[in-house]
Amino acid sequence: GIPVINPISSSNHSLYSLNNVVQLNTTLNSQLEQVTKYLAAFDSLNVVVVHSNTADETKIVSLYKKQYVEEFAKNFPGKTSLIKEVNYSQGGIDAVEKAMNKDLINVMLIPSSSQVFVINLMTKLFDETRNYKLILSYMPTWKKFEQNFELEHLFTLHTHSFQPFYIDYSKNNVKNFVLTYRDLYKIEPTKFSFLGYDCGAYFLSLLQKYGRNFYSCMNNIDVSQLSSRFYFEKMGTKGGYENKGTIITRFDDVVNDMVICNIVTNKFELPLLIQPVEIRKVTVIKKDK
């Protein structure tokens, strides 16, 4: 019956069978669920899901489309959602173009975890920014090969990513933590340093206020966090608790950096807003004969 906090793994099977387990790292399905709620809160986006017809991808596509349609119907009764599925292995970039809309912002979701497929398609979508307004949704599974991405592509595609942990170094509490950490340990804090602080501050505060049976009160405490925004949901009658707090960021070409768009818990923590997206202008230089 001792509370067990699992801060790192996102695929802990005991989460669904033991009611004393608390998981901080949100599963991929839960992250997709949260970002779907965010996108379905806007009524004028053209969402295009592009896959290469593998079993894993089609499973994600099926779940994503179902959740998106349901959320959109809740938010905009009587209005038809604009979500399209493209099997790239059959139609290629031509099929993607047919699914896009020149009058709307096109949100591109690519559930693939194949480096070759993702980078190839991203390059083609970069070319399409001369004709279409595009936002690329960055999948968490791409982190294993993200060093091979062209930064220009990520910024030009107005790439949005989503994750349970994100460190905004412009925040004062983060700056103070970094300075104190350097002073104490003579090294730079890692992402685990920030997560360790968030985890300790949150659960020690819960323990102090509510005692060891704090489960029913886990969302009733306000603790300043550095890299997280915890919001817990119980996984069935026999399961434990999963953090559903998801941070949505975007590559901002104005400040040339990543910025936070919103934080999704059981609500949207920030005002709902999609930044303006423009078609890329290409300057043609004429050579003198």
Side-chain angles (χ1 to χ4, degrees), residues 49-91:
V49 188
V50 186
H51 63 90
S52 58
N53 205 34
T54 67
D56 289 342
E57 290 176 46
T58 52
K59 184 178 179 181
I60 292 175
V61 170
S62 178
L63 287 170
Y64 186 87
K65 286 175 65 179
K66 181 176 182 294
Q67 290 173 353
Y68 183 85
V69 170
E70 289 176 355
E71 287 294 327
F72 191 92
K74 289 180 191 175
N75 296 328
F76 308 103
K79 192 166 185 176
T80 304
S81 59
L82 297 175
I83 182 166
K84 300 161 187 173
E85 177 185 345
V86 175
N87 182 347
Y88 193 85
S89 59
Q90 291 182 349

mmCIF file of all heavy atoms in Angstrom, residues 49-91:
data_model
loop_
_atom_site.group_PDB
_atom_site.id
_atom_site.type_symbol
_atom_site.label_atom_id
_atom_site.label_comp_id
_atom_site.label_asym_id
_atom_site.label_seq_id
_atom_site.Cartn_x
_atom_site.Cartn_y
_atom_site.Cartn_z
ATOM 1 N N VAL A 49 -3.776 13.706 -41.673
ATOM 2 C CA VAL A 49 -2.976 12.645 -41.054
ATOM 3 C C VAL A 49 -2.348 11.818 -42.168
ATOM 4 O O VAL A 49 -3.050 11.219 -42.988
ATOM 5 C CB VAL A 49 -3.842 11.743 -40.154
ATOM 6 C CG1 VAL A 49 -2.959 10.785 -39.381
ATOM 7 C CG2 VAL A 49 -4.689 12.574 -39.205
ATOM 8 N N VAL A 50 -1.005 11.822 -42.213
ATOM 9 C CA VAL A 50 -0.277 11.144 -43.291
ATOM 10 C C VAL A 50 0.480 9.948 -42.703
ATOM 11 O O VAL A 50 1.260 10.108 -41.767
ATOM 12 C CB VAL A 50 0.725 12.092 -43.983
ATOM 13 C CG1 VAL A 50 1.351 11.413 -45.191
ATOM 14 C CG2 VAL A 50 0.040 13.393 -44.390
ATOM 15 N N HIS A 51 0.251 8.755 -43.262
ATOM 16 C CA HIS A 51 0.909 7.559 -42.747
ATOM 17 C C HIS A 51 1.426 6.698 -43.897
ATOM 18 O O HIS A 51 1.065 6.899 -45.061
ATOM 19 C CB HIS A 51 -0.059 6.746 -41.872
ATOM 20 C CG HIS A 51 -1.249 6.235 -42.614
ATOM 21 N ND1 HIS A 51 -1.268 5.008 -43.256
ATOM 22 C CD2 HIS A 51 -2.482 6.775 -42.825
ATOM 23 C CE1 HIS A 51 -2.442 4.820 -43.817
ATOM 24 N NE2 HIS A 51 -3.216 5.876 -43.583
ATOM 25 N N SER A 52 2.266 5.719 -43.560
ATOM 26 C CA SER A 52 2.835 4.827 -44.585
ATOM 27 C C SER A 52 2.231 3.430 -44.509
ATOM 28 O O SER A 52 2.827 2.462 -44.972
ATOM 29 C CB SER A 52 4.359 4.753 -44.439
ATOM 30 O OG SER A 52 4.720 4.303 -43.138
ATOM 31 N N ASN A 53 1.072 3.326 -43.859
ATOM 32 C CA ASN A 53 0.257 2.106 -43.851
ATOM 33 C C ASN A 53 0.864 0.952 -43.048
ATOM 34 O O ASN A 53 0.575 -0.211 -43.329
ATOM 35 C CB ASN A 53 -0.026 1.637 -45.290
ATOM 36 C CG ASN A 53 -1.302 0.803 -45.373
ATOM 37 O OD1 ASN A 53 -2.258 1.043 -44.640
ATOM 38 N ND2 ASN A 53 -1.311 -0.187 -46.259
ATOM 39 N N THR A 54 1.704 1.250 -42.059
ATOM 40 C CA THR A 54 2.169 0.190 -41.164
ATOM 41 C C THR A 54 1.104 -0.045 -40.098
ATOM 42 O O THR A 54 0.247 0.811 -39.852
ATOM 43 C CB THR A 54 3.497 0.576 -40.487
ATOM 44 O OG1 THR A 54 3.265 1.676 -39.584
ATOM 45 C CG2 THR A 54 4.550 0.964 -41.520
ATOM 46 N N ALA A 55 1.183 -1.199 -39.440
ATOM 47 C CA ALA A 55 0.173 -1.559 -38.441
ATOM 48 C C ALA A 55 0.155 -0.568 -37.282
ATOM 49 O O ALA A 55 -0.911 -0.148 -36.821
ATOM 50 C CB ALA A 55 0.438 -2.979 -37.931
ATOM 51 N N ASP A 56 1.351 -0.178 -36.788
ATOM 52 C CA ASP A 56 1.428 0.760 -35.661
ATOM 53 C C ASP A 56 0.848 2.120 -36.021
ATOM 54 O O ASP A 56 0.137 2.744 -35.226
ATOM 55 C CB ASP A 56 2.889 0.929 -35.201
ATOM 56 C CG ASP A 56 3.428 -0.306 -34.494
ATOM 57 O OD1 ASP A 56 2.588 -1.133 -34.060
ATOM 58 O OD2 ASP A 56 4.653 -0.440 -34.387
ATOM 59 N N GLU A 57 1.142 2.570 -37.226
ATOM 60 C CA GLU A 57 0.666 3.887 -37.661
ATOM 61 C C GLU A 57 -0.853 3.911 -37.840
ATOM 62 O O GLU A 57 -1.526 4.842 -37.405
ATOM 63 C CB GLU A 57 1.352 4.295 -38.966
ATOM 64 C CG GLU A 57 2.825 4.627 -38.814
ATOM 65 C CD GLU A 57 3.481 4.936 -40.145
ATOM 66 O OE1 GLU A 57 2.895 5.708 -40.930
ATOM 67 O OE2 GLU A 57 4.560 4.388 -40.410
ATOM 68 N N THR A 58 -1.386 2.882 -38.495
ATOM 69 C CA THR A 58 -2.832 2.869 -38.734
ATOM 70 C C THR A 58 -3.618 2.780 -37.425
ATOM 71 O O THR A 58 -4.727 3.302 -37.323
ATOM 72 C CB THR A 58 -3.219 1.699 -39.660
ATOM 73 O OG1 THR A 58 -2.685 0.471 -39.138
ATOM 74 C CG2 THR A 58 -2.679 1.920 -41.062
ATOM 75 N N LYS A 59 -3.012 2.135 -36.420
ATOM 76 C CA LYS A 59 -3.662 2.070 -35.101
ATOM 77 C C LYS A 59 -3.748 3.462 -34.493
ATOM 78 O O LYS A 59 -4.792 3.873 -33.963
ATOM 79 C CB LYS A 59 -2.871 1.138 -34.182
ATOM 80 C CG LYS A 59 -3.512 0.933 -32.817
ATOM 81 C CD LYS A 59 -2.693 -0.038 -31.981
ATOM 82 C CE LYS A 59 -3.327 -0.211 -30.599
ATOM 83 N NZ LYS A 59 -2.524 -1.141 -29.751
ATOM 84 N N ILE A 60 -2.646 4.225 -34.573
ATOM 85 C CA ILE A 60 -2.627 5.592 -34.051
ATOM 86 C C ILE A 60 -3.608 6.467 -34.826
ATOM 87 O O ILE A 60 -4.360 7.251 -34.248
ATOM 88 C CB ILE A 60 -1.206 6.183 -34.129
ATOM 89 C CG1 ILE A 60 -0.272 5.456 -33.152
ATOM 90 C CG2 ILE A 60 -1.220 7.685 -33.813
ATOM 91 C CD1 ILE A 60 1.176 5.882 -33.253
ATOM 92 N N VAL A 61 -3.611 6.316 -36.156
ATOM 93 C CA VAL A 61 -4.506 7.115 -37.005
ATOM 94 C C VAL A 61 -5.959 6.887 -36.622
ATOM 95 O O VAL A 61 -6.758 7.826 -36.497
ATOM 96 C CB VAL A 61 -4.277 6.784 -38.497
ATOM 97 C CG1 VAL A 61 -5.361 7.423 -39.358
ATOM 98 C CG2 VAL A 61 -2.904 7.251 -38.938
ATOM 99 N N SER A 62 -6.330 5.626 -36.420
ATOM 100 C CA SER A 62 -7.705 5.279 -36.077
ATOM 101 C C SER A 62 -8.128 5.923 -34.752
ATOM 102 O O SER A 62 -9.205 6.523 -34.656
ATOM 103 C CB SER A 62 -7.842 3.759 -35.993
ATOM 104 O OG SER A 62 -9.154 3.392 -35.628
ATOM 105 N N LEU A 63 -7.265 5.825 -33.742
ATOM 106 C CA LEU A 63 -7.566 6.417 -32.438
ATOM 107 C C LEU A 63 -7.649 7.934 -32.534
ATOM 108 O O LEU A 63 -8.550 8.557 -31.972
ATOM 109 C CB LEU A 63 -6.492 6.021 -31.418
ATOM 110 C CG LEU A 63 -6.517 4.578 -30.911
ATOM 111 C CD1 LEU A 63 -5.261 4.278 -30.095
ATOM 112 C CD2 LEU A 63 -7.761 4.323 -30.067
ATOM 113 N N TYR A 64 -6.692 8.529 -33.252
ATOM 114 C CA TYR A 64 -6.622 9.981 -33.361
ATOM 115 C C TYR A 64 -7.860 10.544 -34.053
ATOM 116 O O TYR A 64 -8.469 11.507 -33.575
ATOM 117 C CB TYR A 64 -5.357 10.377 -34.129
ATOM 118 C CG TYR A 64 -5.118 11.870 -34.166
ATOM 119 C CD1 TYR A 64 -4.422 12.504 -33.144
ATOM 120 C CD2 TYR A 64 -5.609 12.648 -35.212
ATOM 121 C CE1 TYR A 64 -4.214 13.868 -33.178
ATOM 122 C CE2 TYR A 64 -5.410 14.005 -35.248
ATOM 123 C CZ TYR A 64 -4.712 14.611 -34.230
ATOM 124 O OH TYR A 64 -4.515 15.964 -34.252
ATOM 125 N N LYS A 65 -8.250 9.947 -35.181
ATOM 126 C CA LYS A 65 -9.420 10.437 -35.929
ATOM 127 C C LYS A 65 -10.687 10.330 -35.090
ATOM 128 O O LYS A 65 -11.506 11.255 -35.066
ATOM 129 C CB LYS A 65 -9.572 9.646 -37.227
ATOM 130 C CG LYS A 65 -8.545 9.998 -38.294
ATOM 131 C CD LYS A 65 -8.673 9.106 -39.511
ATOM 132 C CE LYS A 65 -9.990 9.310 -40.229
ATOM 133 N NZ LYS A 65 -10.105 8.453 -41.429
ATOM 134 N N LYS A 66 -10.840 9.210 -34.398
ATOM 135 C CA LYS A 66 -12.020 9.005 -33.568
ATOM 136 C C LYS A 66 -12.103 10.060 -32.465
ATOM 137 O O LYS A 66 -13.154 10.679 -32.249
ATOM 138 C CB LYS A 66 -11.983 7.598 -32.958
ATOM 139 C CG LYS A 66 -13.174 7.241 -32.080
ATOM 140 C CD LYS A 66 -13.071 5.796 -31.602
ATOM 141 C CE LYS A 66 -14.281 5.403 -30.756
ATOM 142 N NZ LYS A 66 -14.357 6.136 -29.493
ATOM 143 N N GLN A 67 -10.982 10.276 -31.777
ATOM 144 C CA GLN A 67 -10.960 11.261 -30.695
ATOM 145 C C GLN A 67 -11.197 12.665 -31.219
ATOM 146 O O GLN A 67 -11.922 13.455 -30.613
ATOM 147 C CB GLN A 67 -9.615 11.193 -29.962
ATOM 148 C CG GLN A 67 -9.428 9.932 -29.136
ATOM 149 C CD GLN A 67 -8.031 9.814 -28.560
ATOM 150 O OE1 GLN A 67 -7.149 10.602 -28.874
ATOM 151 N NE2 GLN A 67 -7.824 8.801 -27.736
ATOM 152 N N TYR A 68 -10.586 12.992 -32.366
ATOM 153 C CA TYR A 68 -10.722 14.336 -32.923
ATOM 154 C C TYR A 68 -12.171 14.630 -33.303
ATOM 155 O O TYR A 68 -12.708 15.693 -32.978
ATOM 156 C CB TYR A 68 -9.811 14.500 -34.140
ATOM 157 C CG TYR A 68 -9.841 15.904 -34.722
ATOM 158 C CD1 TYR A 68 -9.022 16.904 -34.195
ATOM 159 C CD2 TYR A 68 -10.704 16.225 -35.762
ATOM 160 C CE1 TYR A 68 -9.056 18.189 -34.719
ATOM 161 C CE2 TYR A 68 -10.747 17.502 -36.289
ATOM 162 C CZ TYR A 68 -9.924 18.482 -35.757
ATOM 163 O OH TYR A 68 -9.974 19.759 -36.258
ATOM 164 N N VAL A 69 -12.808 13.696 -33.989
ATOM 165 C CA VAL A 69 -14.198 13.887 -34.424
ATOM 166 C C VAL A 69 -15.116 14.054 -33.215
ATOM 167 O O VAL A 69 -16.011 14.918 -33.199
ATOM 168 C CB VAL A 69 -14.655 12.707 -35.306
ATOM 169 C CG1 VAL A 69 -16.157 12.772 -35.560
ATOM 170 C CG2 VAL A 69 -13.900 12.707 -36.636
ATOM 171 N N GLU A 70 -14.895 13.243 -32.180
ATOM 172 C CA GLU A 70 -15.724 13.325 -30.976
ATOM 173 C C GLU A 70 -15.548 14.660 -30.257
ATOM 174 O O GLU A 70 -16.522 15.303 -29.843
ATOM 175 C CB GLU A 70 -15.394 12.166 -30.029
ATOM 176 C CG GLU A 70 -15.875 10.809 -30.539
ATOM 177 C CD GLU A 70 -15.447 9.666 -29.632
ATOM 178 O OE1 GLU A 70 -14.688 9.936 -28.652
ATOM 179 O OE2 GLU A 70 -15.850 8.514 -29.889
ATOM 180 N N GLU A 71 -14.298 15.095 -30.094
ATOM 181 C CA GLU A 71 -14.023 16.362 -29.413
ATOM 182 C C GLU A 71 -14.560 17.541 -30.207
ATOM 183 O O GLU A 71 -15.126 18.485 -29.649
ATOM 184 C CB GLU A 71 -12.513 16.525 -29.179
ATOM 185 C CG GLU A 71 -11.930 15.644 -28.109
ATOM 186 C CD GLU A 71 -12.450 15.990 -26.725
ATOM 187 O OE1 GLU A 71 -12.717 17.180 -26.460
ATOM 188 O OE2 GLU A 71 -12.610 15.066 -25.919
ATOM 189 N N PHE A 72 -14.371 17.503 -31.527
ATOM 190 C CA PHE A 72 -14.848 18.595 -32.388
ATOM 191 C C PHE A 72 -16.370 18.706 -32.301
ATOM 192 O O PHE A 72 -16.922 19.809 -32.230
ATOM 193 C CB PHE A 72 -14.411 18.348 -33.828
ATOM 194 C CG PHE A 72 -14.624 19.527 -34.738
ATOM 195 C CD1 PHE A 72 -13.616 20.458 -34.943
ATOM 196 C CD2 PHE A 72 -15.837 19.714 -35.399
ATOM 197 C CE1 PHE A 72 -13.810 21.552 -35.784
ATOM 198 C CE2 PHE A 72 -16.040 20.802 -36.232
ATOM 199 C CZ PHE A 72 -15.022 21.725 -36.425
ATOM 200 N N ALA A 73 -17.063 17.557 -32.297
ATOM 201 C CA ALA A 73 -18.527 17.560 -32.226
ATOM 202 C C ALA A 73 -19.019 18.154 -30.912
ATOM 203 O O ALA A 73 -20.050 18.827 -30.868
ATOM 204 C CB ALA A 73 -19.052 16.129 -32.394
ATOM 205 N N LYS A 74 -18.269 17.920 -29.816
ATOM 206 C CA LYS A 74 -18.627 18.512 -28.517
ATOM 207 C C LYS A 74 -18.504 20.036 -28.565
ATOM 208 O O LYS A 74 -19.346 20.763 -28.046
ATOM 209 C CB LYS A 74 -17.708 17.980 -27.414
ATOM 210 C CG LYS A 74 -17.922 16.538 -27.028
ATOM 211 C CD LYS A 74 -16.922 16.178 -25.934
ATOM 212 C CE LYS A 74 -16.884 14.687 -25.684
ATOM 213 N NZ LYS A 74 -15.820 14.336 -24.706
ATOM 214 N N ASN A 75 -17.425 20.495 -29.206
ATOM 215 C CA ASN A 75 -17.139 21.933 -29.226
ATOM 216 C C ASN A 75 -17.977 22.699 -30.249
ATOM 217 O O ASN A 75 -18.344 23.854 -30.013
ATOM 218 C CB ASN A 75 -15.653 22.165 -29.515
ATOM 219 C CG ASN A 75 -14.757 21.610 -28.425
ATOM 220 O OD1 ASN A 75 -15.128 21.580 -27.253
ATOM 221 N ND2 ASN A 75 -13.567 21.170 -28.804
ATOM 222 N N PHE A 76 -18.268 22.060 -31.378
ATOM 223 C CA PHE A 76 -18.966 22.751 -32.470
ATOM 224 C C PHE A 76 -20.101 21.870 -33.007
ATOM 225 O O PHE A 76 -19.991 21.288 -34.097
ATOM 226 C CB PHE A 76 -17.990 23.102 -33.599
ATOM 227 C CG PHE A 76 -16.770 23.844 -33.123
ATOM 228 C CD1 PHE A 76 -15.549 23.191 -32.991
ATOM 229 C CD2 PHE A 76 -16.843 25.192 -32.787
ATOM 230 C CE1 PHE A 76 -14.427 23.860 -32.546
ATOM 231 C CE2 PHE A 76 -15.728 25.872 -32.336
ATOM 232 C CZ PHE A 76 -14.520 25.215 -32.213
ATOM 233 N N PRO A 77 -21.190 21.734 -32.246
ATOM 234 C CA PRO A 77 -22.306 20.880 -32.668
ATOM 235 C C PRO A 77 -22.865 21.318 -34.020
ATOM 236 O O PRO A 77 -23.042 22.503 -34.272
ATOM 237 C CB PRO A 77 -23.340 21.085 -31.555
ATOM 238 C CG PRO A 77 -22.564 21.593 -30.390
ATOM 239 C CD PRO A 77 -21.434 22.392 -30.952
ATOM 240 N N GLY A 78 -23.084 20.347 -34.882
ATOM 241 C CA GLY A 78 -23.665 20.646 -36.184
ATOM 242 C C GLY A 78 -22.667 21.035 -37.249
ATOM 243 O O GLY A 78 -23.023 21.163 -38.424
ATOM 244 N N LYS A 79 -21.402 21.217 -36.851
ATOM 245 C CA LYS A 79 -20.380 21.588 -37.823
ATOM 246 C C LYS A 79 -19.508 20.372 -38.141
ATOM 247 O O LYS A 79 -19.190 19.584 -37.259
ATOM 248 C CB LYS A 79 -19.520 22.734 -37.278
ATOM 249 C CG LYS A 79 -18.619 23.371 -38.326
ATOM 250 C CD LYS A 79 -18.053 24.690 -37.851
ATOM 251 C CE LYS A 79 -17.268 25.360 -38.971
ATOM 252 N NZ LYS A 79 -16.768 26.694 -38.583
ATOM 253 N N THR A 80 -19.128 20.221 -39.404
ATOM 254 C CA THR A 80 -18.335 19.074 -39.829
ATOM 255 C C THR A 80 -16.843 19.341 -39.620
ATOM 256 O O THR A 80 -16.332 20.382 -40.031
ATOM 257 C CB THR A 80 -18.588 18.754 -41.318
ATOM 258 O OG1 THR A 80 -19.982 18.542 -41.516
ATOM 259 C CG2 THR A 80 -17.816 17.516 -41.744
ATOM 260 N N SER A 81 -16.163 18.400 -38.976
ATOM 261 C CA SER A 81 -14.722 18.545 -38.756
ATOM 262 C C SER A 81 -13.965 18.275 -40.049
ATOM 263 O O SER A 81 -14.366 17.434 -40.861
ATOM 264 C CB SER A 81 -14.256 17.567 -37.672
ATOM 265 O OG SER A 81 -14.537 16.236 -38.046
ATOM 266 N N LEU A 82 -12.873 18.988 -40.241
ATOM 267 C CA LEU A 82 -12.047 18.818 -41.430
ATOM 268 C C LEU A 82 -10.814 18.009 -41.063
ATOM 269 O O LEU A 82 -9.764 18.546 -40.711
ATOM 270 C CB LEU A 82 -11.645 20.188 -41.993
ATOM 271 C CG LEU A 82 -12.785 21.072 -42.485
ATOM 272 C CD1 LEU A 82 -12.265 22.439 -42.899
ATOM 273 C CD2 LEU A 82 -13.524 20.420 -43.639
ATOM 274 N N ILE A 83 -10.938 16.686 -41.110
ATOM 275 C CA ILE A 83 -9.809 15.796 -40.847
ATOM 276 C C ILE A 83 -9.756 14.758 -41.955
ATOM 277 O O ILE A 83 -10.760 14.136 -42.298
ATOM 278 C CB ILE A 83 -9.896 15.139 -39.451
ATOM 279 C CG1 ILE A 83 -8.664 14.261 -39.216
ATOM 280 C CG2 ILE A 83 -11.187 14.384 -39.248
ATOM 281 C CD1 ILE A 83 -8.473 13.848 -37.778
ATOM 282 N N LYS A 84 -8.568 14.609 -42.536
ATOM 283 C CA LYS A 84 -8.405 13.718 -43.682
ATOM 284 C C LYS A 84 -7.237 12.767 -43.450
ATOM 285 O O LYS A 84 -6.249 13.141 -42.811
ATOM 286 C CB LYS A 84 -8.165 14.544 -44.953
ATOM 287 C CG LYS A 84 -9.317 15.486 -45.276
ATOM 288 C CD LYS A 84 -8.882 16.577 -46.227
ATOM 289 C CE LYS A 84 -9.999 17.610 -46.402
ATOM 290 N NZ LYS A 84 -9.561 18.772 -47.197
ATOM 291 N N GLU A 85 -7.361 11.569 -43.974
ATOM 292 C CA GLU A 85 -6.324 10.547 -43.859
ATOM 293 C C GLU A 85 -5.698 10.304 -45.217
ATOM 294 O O GLU A 85 -6.402 10.154 -46.213
ATOM 295 C CB GLU A 85 -6.935 9.261 -43.305
ATOM 296 C CG GLU A 85 -5.964 8.101 -43.221
ATOM 297 C CD GLU A 85 -6.643 6.812 -42.786
ATOM 298 O OE1 GLU A 85 -7.775 6.878 -42.285
ATOM 299 O OE2 GLU A 85 -6.032 5.743 -42.968
ATOM 300 N N VAL A 86 -4.359 10.266 -45.249
ATOM 301 C CA VAL A 86 -3.645 10.030 -46.503
ATOM 302 C C VAL A 86 -2.694 8.852 -46.319
ATOM 303 O O VAL A 86 -1.845 8.856 -45.429
ATOM 304 C CB VAL A 86 -2.828 11.274 -46.941
ATOM 305 C CG1 VAL A 86 -2.001 10.960 -48.182
ATOM 306 C CG2 VAL A 86 -3.748 12.454 -47.198
ATOM 307 N N ASN A 87 -2.843 7.852 -47.177
ATOM 308 C CA ASN A 87 -1.912 6.724 -47.223
ATOM 309 C C ASN A 87 -0.800 7.097 -48.199
ATOM 310 O O ASN A 87 -0.974 7.007 -49.417
ATOM 311 C CB ASN A 87 -2.638 5.455 -47.669
ATOM 312 C CG ASN A 87 -1.714 4.241 -47.674
ATOM 313 O OD1 ASN A 87 -0.496 4.364 -47.579
ATOM 314 N ND2 ASN A 87 -2.306 3.063 -47.797
ATOM 315 N N TYR A 88 0.327 7.522 -47.659
ATOM 316 C CA TYR A 88 1.412 8.043 -48.499
ATOM 317 C C TYR A 88 1.983 6.966 -49.415
ATOM 318 O O TYR A 88 2.452 7.268 -50.512
ATOM 319 C CB TYR A 88 2.515 8.612 -47.608
ATOM 320 C CG TYR A 88 3.532 9.448 -48.342
ATOM 321 C CD1 TYR A 88 3.296 10.799 -48.585
ATOM 322 C CD2 TYR A 88 4.733 8.899 -48.793
ATOM 323 C CE1 TYR A 88 4.233 11.574 -49.263
ATOM 324 C CE2 TYR A 88 5.661 9.668 -49.464
ATOM 325 C CZ TYR A 88 5.416 11.000 -49.698
ATOM 326 O OH TYR A 88 6.341 11.769 -50.364
ATOM 327 N N SER A 89 1.956 5.707 -48.978
ATOM 328 C CA SER A 89 2.522 4.628 -49.783
ATOM 329 C C SER A 89 1.734 4.407 -51.068
ATOM 330 O O SER A 89 2.236 3.808 -52.019
ATOM 331 C CB SER A 89 2.577 3.329 -48.972
ATOM 332 O OG SER A 89 1.287 2.952 -48.540
ATOM 333 N N GLN A 90 0.513 4.901 -51.110
ATOM 334 C CA GLN A 90 -0.311 4.759 -52.319
ATOM 335 C C GLN A 90 -0.303 6.012 -53.191
ATOM 336 O O GLN A 90 -0.179 5.928 -54.415
ATOM 337 C CB GLN A 90 -1.750 4.429 -51.933
ATOM 338 C CG GLN A 90 -1.927 3.045 -51.349
ATOM 339 C CD GLN A 90 -3.385 2.743 -51.024
ATOM 340 O OE1 GLN A 90 -4.239 3.637 -51.038
ATOM 341 N NE2 GLN A 90 -3.668 1.487 -50.719
ATOM 342 N N GLY A 91 -0.411 7.175 -52.558
ATOM 343 C CA GLY A 91 -0.585 8.396 -53.354
ATOM 344 C C GLY A 91 0.583 9.359 -53.355
ATOM 345 O O GLY A 91 0.631 10.277 -54.182
#
